[in-house]
Each structure stands twice: as C-alpha cells, then as structure tokens.
C-alpha cells in the first residue's frame, strides 16, 4: 500500500469535490441543501480513496482507463441514489476519476 498515492488521490478528490459543489450550485436553480452538497463532495473524495488504494499502473493509458472506470463506478452510486437527477455530475465523476489517476500517476514514483 502506497500511503503517498492515497494521500495525493484523496487531496485531488477533495479539491475536485469543491469544483463539483460549485458546478452543482450553478447548474441547479433550487437550493440543493448542505447535506446533498456534502454528499456530492464526499463522493469525489471517495473516488480519490478508491483510486489511491489501487496499485500503480505501469502505463499512463491503462491508468487513465482505470481512473475512468473507477470514477464511473463510484459516481454511479451517488447518481443512482439521487434518482438519476444529475447526468452531468455523473459524467464529471468519470472525468474526475481520470484526473485523479493522472495526478497520482505523475506524482507518485
């Protein structure tokens, strides 16, 4: 287990989660509530944790593909629990999985 990889992935997920909150507030006209926004942020942190726990891939293309798959898997849990209300948020989870995996790949030797 690589603690540095986990830490970097968690931090990347937490930062991207803030962007998700901002995006959700811009996309929805109604007040989403703090619990919903926290759950949205936490989902991105969870994507970071899952990616951080995965072993390092030896090639970047495989790593990015795995990031997309793990991002989709974790993001789908939140997306389905909200009654499939935010497809943009679901797709963002896939993109963020790729970003988190890229960051972890580049910063963990």
């Amino acid at each position: 287990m690589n603690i540095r990889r986990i830490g970097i992935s968690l931090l990347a997920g937490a930062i991207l989660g803030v962007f998700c909150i901002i995006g959700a507030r811009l996309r929805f006209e109604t007040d989403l509530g703090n619990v919903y926004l926290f759950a949205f942020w936490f989902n991105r942190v969870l994507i970071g944790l899952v990616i951080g726990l995965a072993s390092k891939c030896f090639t970047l293309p495989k790593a990015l593909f795995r990031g997309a798959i793990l991002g989709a898997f974790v993001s789908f849990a939140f997306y389905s629990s909200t009654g499939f209300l935010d497809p943009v948020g679901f797709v963002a989870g896939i993109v963020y999985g790729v970003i988190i995996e890229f960051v972890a790949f580049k910063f963990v030797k």
Side-chain angles (χ1 to χ4, degrees), residues 15-99:
I15 291 168
L16 291 171
V18 171
F19 287 105
C20 267
I21 289 173
I22 293 167
R25 287 194 167 198
L26 294 174
R27 284 193 315 276
F28 292 99
E29 296 174 3
T30 60
D31 182 28
L32 295 173
N34 292 334
V35 172
Y36 180 88
L37 293 174
F38 172 77
F40 209 24
W41 173 82
F42 187 74
N43 182 264
R44 295 342 186 196
V45 173
L46 190 58
I47 292 172
L49 177 64
V50 169
I51 289 173
L53 288 171
S55 62
K56 185 177 192 286
C57 283
F58 292 107
T59 65
L60 184 58
K62 285 182 181 179
L64 298 180
F65 179 72
R66 180 178 67 187
I69 296 300
L70 293 175
F73 187 74
V74 174
S75 188
F76 186 77
F78 182 76
Y79 178 53
S80 63
S81 72
T82 62
F84 306 101
L85 294 176
D86 188 12
V88 173
F90 172 66
V91 172
I94 298 169
V95 172
Y96 289 169
V98 171
I99 293 169

